[in-house]
Amino acid sequence: MTRYHLLRLAPGIRDAMSRRAGPPVRVPPPPILATTGAPTLLRSGARDAMVPMANAADDLKAMPTARLVTLPGADHLPQEEATQASVAALQAFLRE
């Protein structure tokens, strides 16, 4: 995992991955999300070039028991790119 993470930080890799993935596509949340009754934590990287923040905002609106945490400086994989912040957000959510 460390090697993979370091590779993603190499100069030009972020732009190359974004170009390969193409422009972000906004996808409406599936209706089944509205039926989720369990507390749910949504995490999103503030710099995610693959999934627009609008998708996370729409998912949040669709899920009555969800909470959204946006991790500054993180891209598409906040659990790897902002590990400590991601874990802290999860621990705080689980304590609620």
Side-chain angles (χ1 to χ4, degrees):
M1 171 112 83
T2 300
R3 191 183 95 156
Y4 169 75
H5 179 69
L6 291 175
L7 175 64
R8 293 196 69 239
L9 297 177
I13 293 295
R14 183 173 189 268
D15 290 335
M17 289 178 67
S18 294
R19 282 193 307 274
R20 182 161 190 225
V25 177
R26 189 165 180 189
V27 178
I32 196 165
L33 290 184
T35 67
T36 304
T40 304
L41 176 65
L42 303 173
R43 289 177 299 159
S44 183
R47 297 175 9 140
D48 191 340
M50 298 176 85
V51 178
M53 274 303 297
N55 282 14
D58 288 346
D59 289 348
L60 181 63
K61 287 179 200 167
M63 301 174 76
T65 58
R67 192 178 95 192
L68 173 63
V69 173
T70 303
L71 299 168
D75 293 316
H76 187 63
L77 301 170
Q79 67 277 8
E80 293 179 18
E81 299 153 350
T83 305
Q84 291 181 347
S86 188
V87 169
L90 179 59
Q91 288 174 331
F93 175 76
L94 292 173
R95 281 192 294 270
E96 293 177 358

